[in-house]
Amino acid sequence: MKNKLSDCLRPLLLGAVLLASGAQAQFQSLDRVVAIVDNDVIMYSQLDQRLREVEQTIAKRGGQMPPQDVMQQQVLERLIVENLQLQIGDRSGIRITDEELNQAMGSIAQRNNLTLEQFRAALSRDGLSYEEARDQVRREMIISRVRQRRVAERIQVTDQEVQNFLASDLGQMQLSEDYRLANILIPVPEASSPDEIRAAAQKVSTIYDQLRSGADFAQLAISSSASENALDGGEIGWRRAAQLPPTFVELLRSLNVGDITEPVRTPSGFMIVKLLEKRGGDAQVRDEVHVRHILIKPNEIRSEAETQRLVERLYERIIAGEDFATLAKSFSEDPGSALNGGDLNWIDPNTLVPEFREVMAKTPSGQLSKPFKSPYGWHVLEVMGRRATDSSEQYREQQAMNALRNRKYDEELQAWLRQIRDEAYVEIKL
């Protein structure tokens, strides 16, 4: 592998280092506290380990090492802020289960195209034990959840902000389509006479007819176009929609790749444009399913087996002719749909847990599924319909929402990190 696998993980906060001393096999602690951070401490071994990691990273990039005291202060400050977030996570009761941690480690191995055993071996070659790596990933997951609770959940983006962003030059530039274009230009000089304008219009009309009859665009551009890129077959390269005149954007959005526009009058003359390629901004067609379900959850007074039997009885009652919606209102424990007779309305299957999605995919429209289990409990569902929906506009709005949220998150995160650092008790003993 090009990079060490340990580079996929943040450097570890190592515990105290004890070294054997002399033949008497007595141990002497060489570690010491370098900072007190609220109710915790940072040890010199942690600082030293992180410094070595940072130095390796800078060396790989071929960068110049900053003065040792400057880098040491920077690294210690980062450790202090990380420690504060971990303490917040501990006080908030954030815990990472072994199952979640195993899944995370498996995902890291998979991203590196390794089996778990190969991943363990690669970590060992990099001087990092699997247990140390797990502990590091656990801390990163805790910090991520702390930030989600304290920062991400506070960020609000209004519909008006989304619309303003979409209408802005920046928004249009970031979210617009890209087109690879070629053109043929028949010039109309300034102060041209009506006869000259008619002649140019006739010439471009003739070229347009030839193109529609199958003539090669590049050859006609070379022989007839007055554009500076004529000798390149008229190709002008990639252009963002936001960089093009609105008239051309409207025409291009109606074209398929390989199509040409009708002749368009521009300040320079008459122009025909060919769409060679297109990327971004494609129509976002998604499959949606109209589904309703009944959810029954195990609890303190109803065991897993009793829950399953109850769902099976409800399934039999529906098969026997009882009304699904009435039973859902009476029995379903999904607060979001029970009052609507279990109706989830039209829903994107990708937003559902795999167990529900798979059963829904196998159930024909107008049919009832057999009882099945998901992480939420036991279900029976009915597929009421399927459709394909063009969600291009919603997709653009979601892109704008994400861009605004990311911008606000970065700003809010930095402000929050400064706040917790300013409010903390920190005593540096370096």
Side-chain angles (χ1 to χ4, degrees):
M1 287 188 320
K2 227 172 186 184
N3 297 319
K4 296 172 76 176
L5 279 177
S6 55
D7 292 340
C8 300
L9 314 169
R10 282 188 183 235
L12 291 173
L13 309 179
L14 297 180
V17 177
L18 299 178
L19 297 178
S21 173
Q24 296 179 358
Q26 295 177 346
F27 290 86
Q28 179 184 6
S29 174
L30 299 183
D31 214 351
R32 59 190 173 91
V33 173
V34 294
I36 300 172
V37 183
D38 276 348
N39 298 320
D40 202 359
V41 296
I42 295 173
M43 305 302 293
Y44 181 80
S45 55
Q46 297 172 260
L47 176 61
D48 186 58
Q49 175 69 17
R50 185 66 65 90
L51 275 169
R52 287 200 299 270
E53 293 283 348
V54 172
E55 288 170 353
Q56 289 174 9
T57 301
I58 294 174
K60 284 179 184 176
R61 294 175 180 170
Q64 183 176 358
M65 294 287 180
Q68 183 69 17
D69 59 335
V70 173
M71 187 161 66
Q72 189 178 65
Q73 184 60 39
Q74 288 272 43
V75 171
L76 179 58
E77 191 61 33
R78 180 173 295 183
L79 286 171
I80 289 169
V81 174
E82 289 178 5
N83 187 287
L84 288 169
Q85 293 172 87
L86 290 169
Q87 289 188 57
I88 291 171
D90 185 59
R91 291 195 299 269
S92 302
I94 295 175
R95 303 288 184 269
I96 307 299
T97 66
D98 286 341
E99 182 180 359
E100 291 172 313
L101 196 52
N102 290 337
Q103 289 176 352
M105 297 302 289
S107 296
I108 295 171
Q110 190 174 24
R111 286 199 299 270
N112 287 277
N113 298 316
L114 298 173
T115 65
L116 206 54
E117 288 307 313
Q118 291 171 329
F119 184 45
R120 285 176 181 267
L123 285 170
S124 180
R125 287 195 300 271
D126 288 348
L128 193 65
S129 75
Y130 187 74
E131 289 69 27
E132 289 171 331
R134 276 174 59 88
D135 190 47
Q136 181 177 315
V137 170
R138 185 192 298 275
R139 289 196 302 274
E140 288 300 313
M141 292 174 72
I142 290 172
I143 288 175
S144 176
R145 292 190 184 180
V146 167
R147 292 179 175 184
Q148 181 67 28
R149 290 188 184 182
R150 297 299 181 94
V151 180
E153 289 185 356
R154 297 191 305 188
I155 294 172
Q156 300 294 327
V157 178
T158 66
D159 291 341
Q160 188 61 52
E161 286 178 304
V162 169
Q163 296 307 318
N164 291 344
F165 182 78
L166 289 171
S168 70
D169 291 340
L170 177 62
Q172 291 181 29
M173 184 64 70
Q174 287 188 6
L175 303 180
S176 65
E177 305 92 334
D178 285 342
Y179 300 108
R180 188 165 74 89
L181 305 172
N183 73 339
I184 293 174
L185 172 66
I186 305 303
V188 177
E190 291 185 15
S192 294
S193 67
D195 288 342
E196 289 173 322
I197 295 173
R198 279 194 294 271
Q202 181 59 48
K203 182 175 181 180
V204 77
S205 179
T206 300
I207 292 173
Y208 179 68
D209 290 341
Q210 291 175 321
L211 291 169
R212 288 178 58 84
S213 298
D216 183 74
F217 190 96
Q219 289 300 322
L220 280 175
I222 292 170
S223 62
S224 305
S225 179
S227 177
E228 63 181 358
N229 48 14
L231 295 179
D232 299 320
E235 183 166 344
I236 59 178
W238 286 98
R239 294 291 186 273
R240 280 198 176 275
Q243 297 174 309
L244 301 172
T247 304
F248 277 108
V249 175
E250 292 302 317
L251 289 171
L252 290 169
R253 283 179 175 163
S254 65
L255 299 183
N256 295 316
V257 172
D259 289 350
I260 59 173
T261 66
E262 294 182 354
V264 178
R265 179 66 192 270
T266 73
S268 303
F270 293 96
M271 186 180 294
I272 300 171
V273 176
K274 181 175 183 178
L275 178 58
L276 300 176
E277 284 186 79
K278 178 181 177 181
R279 64 189 180 196
D282 296 331
Q284 300 294 317
V285 178
R286 67 179 183 186
D287 295 325
E288 292 183 326
V289 181
H290 189 185
V291 64
R292 58 183 178 179
H293 79 133
I294 296 173
L295 169 65
I296 307 296
K297 303 177 182 180
N299 54 41
E300 292 81 2
I301 61 174
R302 185 172 57 217
S303 68
E304 185 81 28
E306 290 171 332
T307 301
Q308 181 179 357
R309 284 195 293 271
L310 175 54
V311 171
E312 289 172 347
R313 287 197 298 272
L314 292 172
Y315 170 76
E316 291 166 359
R317 290 171 66 175
I318 296 169
I319 292 294
E322 290 195 48
D323 182 59
F324 189 110
T326 301
L327 291 174
K329 289 177 182 179
S330 301
F331 291 95
S332 183
E333 294 173 335
D334 176 9
S337 67
L339 293 178
N340 297 322
D343 196 344
L344 295 173
N345 213 325
W346 290 99
I347 193 166
D348 181 352
N350 293 320
T351 64
L352 303 170
V353 295
E355 295 85 353
F356 196 101
R357 182 171 63 244
E358 290 167 9
V359 172
M360 189 174 70
K362 296 175 183 176
T363 305
S365 294
Q367 304 240 346
L368 197 67
S369 75
K370 291 185 176 180
F372 66 96
K373 186 182 178 184
S374 84
Y376 296 103
W378 283 86
H379 309 255
V380 60
L381 67 80
E382 180 182 2
V383 174
M384 304 172 72
R386 288 187 167 86
R387 70 183 182 188
T389 302
D390 183 356
S391 58
S392 302
E393 188 60 33
Q394 295 93 318
Y395 179 72
R396 281 174 53 78
E397 290 177 355
Q398 187 60 51
Q399 283 185 305
M401 177 78 73
N402 292 340
L404 290 169
R405 283 187 63 85
N406 289 339
R407 180 196 302 171
K408 286 189 175 186
Y409 177 82
D410 290 339
E411 296 169 356
E412 187 72 23
L413 176 61
Q414 295 310 312
W416 178 72
L417 291 175
R418 286 194 300 270
Q419 177 187 341
I420 64 172
R421 175 64 175 86
D422 292 342
E423 294 176 353
Y425 171 78
V426 176
E427 182 180 346
I428 294 177
K429 293 181 171 292
L430 190 60

